[in-house]
Amino acid sequence: MTQREKMISRDQLFLVIIQAQIGVGVLSLPYKLNNTVKGGGGLSVLIAGMTTQMIIILMWAIMKKFPGLSLYNICLKIFGKFIGRVFIIAYIGYFVLLGANIMSSSVEVLHRWLLQSTPRWVSLALFSAMTLYLAKEKLTTIVRFYALATLLFIPLILLISYGLTQAHMEYMFPLMEKGLFNIIKGAKESAISMYGFEIMLLIYPFSEGTDKQRLFTISMANLFVTLFYVFVVATCLTVFNSEQLKFIPEPVIYLVKSLNFYIVDRADILFLPIWAITLVCSIVYYCYGAAVGMSVLFGKKEHRPFSPLVKVLTFSIALAPMTPAAVHKLDKISEYTAYLFLAGLPLIIYIFSLFMSKKTGDPA
């Protein structure tokens, strides 16, 4: 395969970032924001989107300084073999943990609404099989699937949009009812539901275009995700009042279920399988990232042999929490880990990169 054939287009880059960012978190986001900011949930999402954009610019500055290198190679170049490998192991652990958490959360949602009698391990095994089948492939193959799966956003958006026929705009006002501090606090809940954009650290060297063009593409993807989240949150906040939302942990699914399409009794049965494909895309990214990290760590050219090991690890971690309290604990661990790996470590890498030559790198 030539270097040109390994490259992904700017359109594909746009779609990959979208698929990586939109995950299971959006289903419960209106519920969480209602508890914190009530009608100002949309403002919290906008602030989260701006915060995400700042982190994207930070990551872009790192990638721009090391053309042709991905995250793992940059760690080795800046910190040397020993410390660099420590960073690589840390990121592998991060990707495995986040992949397991998303898979666990996805199964919890599906079991609450659709698969109550299905053993938990069976659902996790099915997710693992689907994600392994794709995560072991080359990046170009994964990206093509992501592009195809993006078409599923059309029925998802249409189903949620139909809920606007029951909207009551007065439910959302006043926007600043809980004050600016709580709106900023709600932005934290929103931001943690939007992670996934860090995939740029792995695929940036393999995307076409100049540095500015790629930054613009990634920024537009983040803008799309932010506006999509605003749309979902605003729709739920106008269909359900504040008191109702307190008792609906996944208001997006409840909204779709409550819709009357005359020929479809439960629209959520259509919604959830379609949404599950989006979740598979998110899990695939984390498994792919961990497998690539292992290939760099052990000096191998292909990540394929490490994909089964990654899936065994994610399956084991996802299977461990058997109680709601344990699942909540895994969520919290993943949340605080994400803060470190989305902002903390990239900032450290960028600061150390300032002490190196102006622009350095080798072809990926």
Side-chain angles (χ1 to χ4, degrees):
M1 182 178 285
T2 64
Q3 180 68 19
R4 178 69 180 176
E5 289 173 329
K6 292 180 181 179
M7 304 296 283
I8 62 176
S9 67
R10 290 171 59 195
D11 291 339
Q12 289 175 323
L13 177 63
F14 176 83
L15 298 178
V16 169
I17 298 297
I18 288 176
Q19 287 286 1
Q21 273 194 271
I22 298 179
V24 68
V26 70
L27 298 179
S28 58
L29 185 59
Y31 165 78
K32 294 178 180 178
L33 291 179
N34 175 70
N35 293 337
T36 308
V37 295
K38 291 192 176 181
L43 298 178
S44 294
V45 175
L46 289 175
I47 294 174
M50 290 186 287
T51 303
T52 298
Q53 182 60 30
M54 293 172 62
I55 299 174
I56 286 174
I57 293 174
L58 171 63
M59 293 181 174
W60 172 78
I62 296 172
M63 304 309 296
K64 180 183 177 184
K65 191 172 179 61
F66 298 91
L69 298 182
S70 66
L71 167 69
Y72 300 120
N73 301 109
I74 292 173
C75 289
L76 291 174
K77 197 168 191 67
I78 293 178
F79 301 105
K81 288 187 177 181
F82 180 74
I83 299 179
R85 288 175 185 273
V86 173
F87 270 77
I88 292 174
I89 293 172
Y91 266 102
I92 291 172
Y94 165 72
F95 288 137
V96 169
L97 177 63
L98 267 291
N101 184 54
I102 293 175
M103 192 160 66
S104 175
S105 300
S106 303
V107 167
E108 290 297 321
V109 171
L110 289 174
H111 279 208
R112 274 196 294 271
W113 292 91
L114 200 61
L115 306 172
Q116 292 91 344
S117 300
T118 304
R120 191 166 178 270
W121 70 268
V122 172
S123 300
L124 289 173
L126 290 173
F127 266 102
S128 297
M130 288 186 290
T131 52
L132 174 61
Y133 182 78
L134 191 58
K136 63 183 176 59
E137 298 298 330
K138 291 182 173 63
L139 176 62
T140 49
T141 303
I142 295 174
V143 168
R144 291 191 193 105
F145 178 81
Y146 276 33
L148 183 63
T150 305
L151 295 175
L152 296 176
F153 279 121
I154 297 175
L156 289 178
I157 293 174
L158 290 177
L159 284 171
I160 297 173
S161 298
Y162 193 75
L164 293 174
T165 58
Q166 304 176 11
H168 299 273
M169 297 302 295
E170 65 271 14
Y171 288 169
M172 199 166 56
F173 295 102
L175 295 178
M176 302 291 290
E177 179 181 0
K178 299 290 285 186
L180 181 60
F181 175 78
N182 282 319
I183 288 178
I184 296 174
K185 184 179 178 182
K188 185 195 75 169
E189 296 284 355
S190 304
I192 209 65
S193 300
M194 297 169 69
Y195 52 61
F197 57 88
E198 66 272 24
I199 191 176
M200 67 179 287
L201 294 171
L202 299 179
I203 68 174
Y204 188 91
F206 303 102
S207 57
E208 297 176 349
T210 64
D211 288 318
K212 290 183 178 179
Q213 288 174 334
R214 284 180 280 187
L215 174 62
F216 178 78
T217 300
I218 297 170
S219 299
M220 288 299 101
N222 179 58
L223 177 62
F224 175 87
V225 172
T226 301
L227 294 179
F228 175 74
Y229 274 51
V230 170
F231 165 71
V232 171
V233 170
T235 300
C236 290
L237 290 177
T238 53
V239 172
F240 307 107
N241 62 44
S242 179
E243 292 302 314
Q244 290 172 329
L245 278 175
K246 290 180 180 179
F247 304 99
I248 310 176
E250 282 99 22
V252 177
I253 303 177
Y254 192 87
L255 167 65
V256 175
K257 181 181 179 180
S258 65
L259 300 177
N260 184 5
F261 292 101
Y262 300 104
I263 60 174
V264 179
D265 184 41
R266 286 188 58 186
D268 59 307
I269 295 179
L270 298 176
F271 178 87
L272 284 170
I274 296 174
W275 189 262
I277 302 300
T278 301
L279 301 178
V280 167
C281 291
S282 296
I283 300 168
V284 164
Y285 150 59
Y286 288 107
C287 295
Y288 171 80
V292 170
M294 289 183 179
S295 68
V296 175
L297 186 66
F298 293 102
K300 303 296 183 181
K301 292 184 178 180
E302 295 289 336
H303 73 282
R304 189 186 187 99
F306 299 99
S307 298
L309 174 59
V310 171
K311 284 316 307 175
V312 170
L313 292 173
T314 56
F315 175 82
S316 301
I317 295 173
L319 186 62
M322 300 300 294
T323 64
V327 172
H328 178 72
K329 187 174 182 179
L330 179 61
D331 279 338
K332 283 299 178 182
I333 293 174
S334 301
E335 177 181 336
Y336 291 119
T337 303
Y339 294 147
L340 174 62
F341 285 88
L342 291 180
L345 291 190
L347 182 59
I348 292 173
I349 293 172
Y350 178 71
I351 291 173
F352 274 85
S353 72
L354 297 177
F355 296 97
M356 301 188 69
S357 58
K358 184 175 181 182
K359 195 172 186 178
T360 181
D362 301 302

